[in-house]
Amino acid sequence: MSVRSKIDRLCARMHDAPQYPTQGAVLFVDLERRATRSKYLPAEIMRSFLGGRGANMVLLYNLLDEEKNALDPDVPLIFGAGTLTGDMPSATRGNFTSRSPDSDAFLDSSAGDYFPAFTKRLGYDHIVLHGLAPQWTLLKISREGVEFLDAAPYVGLDNLDTAAAIERDFHCTERKDMALARITTAGENLALCSGIMGGIKSIWARGGGGAKMGALKLKAIMIAGKPGDPPLQKQLKEHNKVIGKKITSTSVIKNALKQVGTPFLYKPSRVLGALGTLNNQTTAWHASLDADNFDPYRPGMDGCFKCPVHCRNQNDMTPEGKGGWGSAALMGLKGNASYDKAQADVDHHKLRTYNGIKGDGKFDKYDKGDGPEYVTVGKFGPMIGLSEPEHVLRLNNILNDLGLDSASTGSAISWAMELWQRGIIDASHTGGLDLSWGNYETIEKLLFMTAKREGFGDTIADSARAVERGKYPPAALEYRMAVKGLFQSDPHDARILKAFALGLSVATRGMDHLRNRVTLEINARVNDDAAFKTQLYGGTVAPQPTSYEGKEIAVRRCENTFAVGDSVGMCRFNTKLFNSPTLPDCGDFAAQLSTMTGQPVTAEELDEVGRNITGLEHLLNFRLGLRAKDDTLPKRWFEESIDTGPFKGEKIERKEFDAMKARFYELTGLNAEGVPRADWHQQLALAATGFALRVELPRPLPGAPEKSIVIDRPVANVAELRDALRRHLPEARKQLDDPTWNVTVNGEMLLFGESAKALHSGDRVQLVPIIAGG
């Protein structure tokens, strides 16, 4: 069935008018035919999955053909703004969702800046993009309608130049009367580590969204016109003040994020001995990348749409640039995580010494910009052997302009560097590039080569798929730090932190900390207060970061909360449990959702919604071929102990890990293959697709350990059901083709006429072995 037919089927279940006062439409955009249509999702979708990430998953689940390649134009790219995006403090975000070209899982990436809020205020909750545009296209969306414009003048431009050219040509200013989601040359060239840019630094990074958008020949989506006021601004105001105060009065926000941004995390990670270094061969690196070493080049902070935090540190290394914003902001703040309290009193007194990247007094546009974030500091510092803050700043600015995901790109380079170190690749593979650790000149050159897919940059552009695409020998996979085909996002080495490790293994989009990282596991105040920790997570969690006991409880609670946060549009750093136990939580979201939708919502109901969202994501991954064996960790973490720091000797014990993962499955409601058990699957299916047909099996089959599976996409008759079963369980096709298995429908045995026997949602089907004798 084509994606257009799937959209027709989905639209038949949708509505022509909003189902609650503030609901926005779903805009379906056929880029090939240059046609659009708008519909409204049923209210049941909001109650079960919310908006943003959650509703995106529902749309993808209904529209995905898992037999098609991720870059096929029939596989849609879906944008979704959160239900509260633009209407609640720090709710600035939206998600791009699809099948990932960069990993084995689905693509889902969250970002903020101004595009999500502008889209939501214009009246669209979601944009579903499909079809190959006949030429490079700029999609302009305004109150006057949708226009398909020629993007040829912008092809070949990177992030900064694309925005400037569109501002010039349309007489507008980004973040004032225009918001823009765009790709760079990296996306045009289908680099798998490319993202979709939403501003100078804002990027939908993980999973290869830039390549997916490029495969549709869509250069940019422009939201034209100033955003209007939220429809229920007065009704939301009172509790928004409560939420705003929670955010701005929290210590980590007030003293760290508002002053120096996320790089404050580097020092605690370094002191803990949990900093991924040289492709995770070790876990210690230099103090030269502590946040205060960036102080001389920090002129101020920026932020997303009406966010009170402004956590985005700017940088300026040019002679005219000013610095010192947030200088010494962290001095004397011992925090709750450090295992060396004296570190809080260390100030490196870094001087402003930069004189151009070659020290010749020559400067260019990459000597100033926005960032870096902690992830970029980690991936382009210790992971590849760089220790100078000026190097990290410049590479950060280049990454932002080229539209490359710093996590996947940095990991791809560090992987290549270890392969070079071990002799698995050499100059004959790299075109003469020297991939020795810390070779700044090579790294900068390689970023531009990656965006253009030139030389060895073509290998880096293939990201974690380099072996699959024939760029490396199979032996290279031994050193790939990825789960479900996605490189690790977090610079933390999780061999110490067992909750972190579990989270990275079961995270639905791959090895990504933003799905469920239990950051408070390194908070001494939380760990030392057993009663508070139990109340925080809803169960007993061992206080020691190295313990496996109860960590599944903490990961489960974080997954639920963060899934809800993504679906209402809340920034992760301003969400309870990610960095603080006092930030806004599901209770705050429930209060505003009740006002926004006119339907009472409770915190407990939202916790279950978070579980629903991750449950649907597990089902999506199952359709893409992932199984319980893929909820794992890199081999290195099981077999090699860390060699430094206060937790020297730690690694992941397989037996303990397997038991912890099994407890997580049980707590979540997953079966032994890591997907929702049949009863829960039925509930999810009825909410997401409106169809659930349960099939009982004679015995457990590969991929179906319960002897029961649910078909959640419509089938008309038993013959179609047999085909659906083969698609659902490809590893069990031989057994499913067994001619001795008959079918019963609602207790009636079928001995002929399977094509004529109609099936309906709710029917109960059994496969029954023939009993014969004589």
Side-chain angles (χ1 to χ4, degrees), residues 471-487:
K471 305 295 176 59
Y472 295 144
L477 290 175
E478 292 285 308
Y479 309 102
R480 186 183 72 164
M481 299 302 294
V483 173
K484 301 180 183 72
L486 187 71
F487 281 123

Side-chain angles (χ1 to χ4, degrees), residues 281-314:
Q281 292 183 83
T282 185
T283 60
W285 199 240
H286 304 289
S288 56
L289 295 179
D290 287 357
D292 61 294
N293 287 303
F294 295 91
D295 289 356
Y297 305 112
R298 192 184 307 112
M301 307 292 286
D302 198 359
C304 298
F305 182 81
K306 296 190 176 181
C307 179
V309 177
H310 281 68
C311 68
R312 200 167 77 213
N313 47 309
Q314 299 175 302

Side-chain angles (χ1 to χ4, degrees), residues 636-648:
R636 166 166 283 155
W637 285 2
F638 289 111
E639 299 184 357
E640 301 175 25
S641 301
I642 63 170
D643 58 5
T644 190
F647 296 99
K648 183 178 179 179

Side-chain angles (χ1 to χ4, degrees), residues 34 132-138 149-152 216-218:
R34 299 197 163 199
L132 177 63
Q135 62 189 48
W136 280 104
T137 297
L138 166 64
L149 305 176
D150 181 12
L216 303 178
K217 283 195 174 296
L218 180 61

Side-chain angles (χ1 to χ4, degrees), residues 279-552:
N279 202 37
N280 294 89
Q281 292 183 83
T282 185
T283 60
W285 199 240
H286 304 289
S288 56
L289 295 179
D290 287 357
D292 61 294
N293 287 303
F294 295 91
D295 289 356
Y297 305 112
R298 192 184 307 112
M301 307 292 286
D302 198 359
C304 298
F305 182 81
K306 296 190 176 181
C307 179
V309 177
H310 281 68
C311 68
R312 200 167 77 213
N313 47 309
Q314 299 175 302
N315 68 79
D316 192 339
M317 297 188 290
T318 66
E320 301 80 18
K322 296 180 180 179
W325 177 276
S327 182
L330 304 178
M331 275 289 291
L333 289 176
K334 295 183 172 50
N336 302 314
S338 178
Y339 284 83
D340 183 354
K341 298 295 186 184
Q343 288 286 328
D345 296 320
V346 173
D347 189 328
H348 298 95
H349 301 291
K350 168 74 176 175
L351 299 176
R352 190 180 179 92
T353 57
Y354 186 75
N355 193 35
I357 193 59
K358 296 183 178 180
D360 55 5
K362 295 181 180 179
F363 301 84
D364 62 27
K365 66 179 180 178
Y366 297 122
D367 290 325
K368 64 185 298 184
D370 277 25
E373 301 290 346
Y374 166 57
V375 167
T376 305
V377 174
K379 293 293 184 176
F380 280 85
M383 277 292 275
I384 58 176
L386 293 176
S387 57
E388 297 301 321
E390 293 86 354
H391 285 165
V392 174
L393 287 172
R394 183 172 168 85
L395 291 175
N396 166 81
N397 297 338
I398 293 171
L399 287 161
N400 289 343
D401 193 37
L402 296 181
L404 295 172
D405 170 16
S406 65
S408 285
T409 308
S411 294
I413 293 173
S414 67
W415 183 28
M417 285 180 157
E418 183 171 2
L419 298 180
W420 173 277
Q421 169 196 321
R422 295 181 179 276
I424 295 173
I425 62 173
D426 55 30
S428 67
H429 297 89
T430 68
L433 290 178
D434 178 0
L435 293 187
S436 300
W437 297 109
N439 188 335
Y440 176 85
E441 185 177 352
T442 289
I443 295 163
E444 178 173 319
K445 182 184 298 183
L446 195 49
L447 293 184
F448 291 99
M449 294 172 67
T450 299
K452 295 177 181 178
R453 279 193 174 269
E454 291 180 349
F456 189 67
D458 187 49
T459 297
I460 300 300
D462 279 338
S463 193
R465 293 192 181 273
V467 172
E468 176 188 329
R469 293 191 169 196
K471 305 295 176 59
Y472 295 144
L477 290 175
E478 292 285 308
Y479 309 102
R480 186 183 72 164
M481 299 302 294
V483 173
K484 301 180 183 72
L486 187 71
F487 281 123
Q488 185 185 1
S489 60
D490 188 357
H492 279 105
D493 187 298
R495 279 172 281 192
I496 297 169
L497 308 161
K498 301 310 190 284
F500 282 33
L502 174 63
L504 290 170
S505 71
V506 300
T508 50
R509 71 174 175 184
M511 198 177 184
D512 203 297
H513 70 293
L514 291 170
R515 250 28 193 187
N516 54 27
R517 188 179 75 186
V518 190
T519 314
L520 298 181
E521 275 296 276
I522 54 174
N523 186 305
R525 290 184 187 175
V526 171
N527 284 331
D528 291 344
D529 188 336
F532 178 73
K533 190 169 187 179
T534 299
Q535 182 273 329
L536 186 67
Y537 294 122
T540 303
V541 181
Q544 301 86 358
T546 54
S547 171
Y548 297 85
E549 294 305 313
K551 299 306 166 71
E552 68 280 357

